[in-house]
Amino acid sequence: MKKALEFLRQLNENNTREWFAAHKSEYDAIVKENKAFFTQIYHELQEHDQLKGIHIFRIYRDVRFSKDQTPYKTNFGAGYSRAKPMLRGGYYIQLEPGNSFVGGGFWGPDAKDLLRIRKEFEISSTEIEKIISDKTFIKYFGELKGDSVKTAPRGFDKNHPAIDLIRKKQFLVMRKFTDKEVLSDSFQKEALLTLLAMRPFFDYMSEVLTTDMNGEPLF
């Protein structure tokens, strides 16, 4: 982790193809170590969940439609997807100097899933509120995060008691880690415990998204 964070610090200050090419061998060695770390987390998480796969993100940026033309990301990240269609939600780990975190959730639910979630909250928000107010959830994540629409979605009452939840268009959780915590011997254990702390939230959302409004299974 020390080598990875230091490489990213230098890359942030020298984000050019020329600098990267001169340090390619160093990068390749770090990628190999990162892969071992992310893969170990995958196997440990797989013992507690059913995962569909692991995706280790490339460091190369797609700059075709971006104002920011720097060629490389300044973080290393990996995502772990659950076995759809019955299990929903995705896990994510990011390593970046001053901005490392373990998180997950529902980044961009499609229109059908988003409507189903909102309808569930409209009928009753008791279960989701119980989950996000649980002491373990608060310890790891603080609160449920994610972007929201500015007003009540079409067809929903702006005065509904759960309107703050209904307005959400993303449902995310995140626990940040300092550089010191990332470099500690306990980081891998803490990362796994953080991922496992998402399960009550994921399991509830999976139940919602695999049933209709009458609670009948869709699959």
Side-chain angles (χ1 to χ4, degrees):
M1 291 303 171
K2 186 175 182 180
K3 293 178 181 178
L5 293 184
E6 181 56 33
F7 178 86
L8 291 171
R9 286 191 190 95
Q10 294 183 37
L11 177 60
N12 187 50
E13 297 174 359
N14 305 275
N15 202 327
T16 66
R17 291 181 174 83
E18 293 75 18
W19 184 90
F20 191 84
H23 295 79
K24 185 62 163 55
S25 59
E26 181 183 354
Y27 167 75
D28 289 340
I30 291 170
V31 165
K32 185 176 181 180
E33 293 177 357
N34 284 349
K35 183 177 181 180
F37 169 75
F38 289 136
T39 301
Q40 181 62 33
I41 291 286
Y42 172 82
H43 290 309
E44 292 177 344
L45 187 57
Q46 186 74 283
E47 294 180 6
H48 303 274
D49 203 346
Q50 297 179 47
L51 302 179
K52 184 176 67 174
I54 175 175
H55 179 80
I56 300 176
F57 292 89
R58 290 162 53 86
I59 201 167
Y60 308 97
R61 296 183 63 248
D62 183 354
V63 299
R64 291 174 298 171
F65 309 105
S66 175
K67 292 181 180 180
D68 180 359
Q69 290 294 302
T70 51
Y72 307 105
K73 301 173 186 175
T74 55
N75 64 73
F76 296 119
Y80 308 89
S81 56
R82 303 180 81 207
K84 288 186 176 180
M86 297 306 297
L87 302 179
R88 303 297 182 89
Y91 302 100
Y92 181 73
I93 298 177
Q94 175 170 299
L95 304 175
E96 182 176 7
N99 191 36
S100 297
F101 66 88
V102 175
F106 302 79
W107 178 264
D110 62 32
K112 182 179 178 182
D113 283 352
L114 183 56
L115 179 60
R116 177 69 184 89
I117 294 168
R118 286 172 169 168
K119 285 290 187 182
E120 186 70 22
F121 294 166
E122 181 183 44
I123 293 171
S124 174
S125 61
T126 300
E127 187 63 27
I128 185 64
E129 289 177 352
K130 179 180 178 182
I131 290 169
I132 63 178
S133 64
D134 181 82
K135 62 180 182 181
T136 300
F137 184 96
I138 294 174
K139 172 187 174 182
Y140 283 99
F141 310 116
E143 61 182 0
L144 183 64
K145 300 177 176 66
D147 292 342
S148 301
V149 295
K150 293 182 179 179
T151 61
R154 182 178 297 178
F156 291 88
D157 181 2
K158 66 180 181 180
N159 296 314
H160 191 285
I163 192 60
D164 287 344
L165 287 169
I166 293 170
R167 288 194 304 109
K168 283 190 174 297
K169 57 182 181 180
Q170 296 176 317
F171 306 89
L172 307 173
V173 294
M174 177 191 300
R175 177 189 178 188
K176 291 191 174 184
F177 287 83
T178 65
D179 291 354
K180 183 179 179 180
E181 290 170 331
V182 171
L183 295 174
S184 71
D185 293 338
S186 63
F187 176 61
Q188 184 167 325
K189 177 183 177 181
E190 286 299 316
L192 179 63
L193 290 173
T194 304
L195 295 170
L196 293 177
M198 300 178 201
R199 279 297 301 278
F201 169 56
F202 279 5
D203 290 347
Y204 165 73
M205 295 289 271
S206 294
E207 182 178 354
V208 170
L209 293 172
T210 56
T211 57
D212 63 19
M213 297 302 300
N214 296 315
E216 296 295 326
L218 297 174
F219 306 98

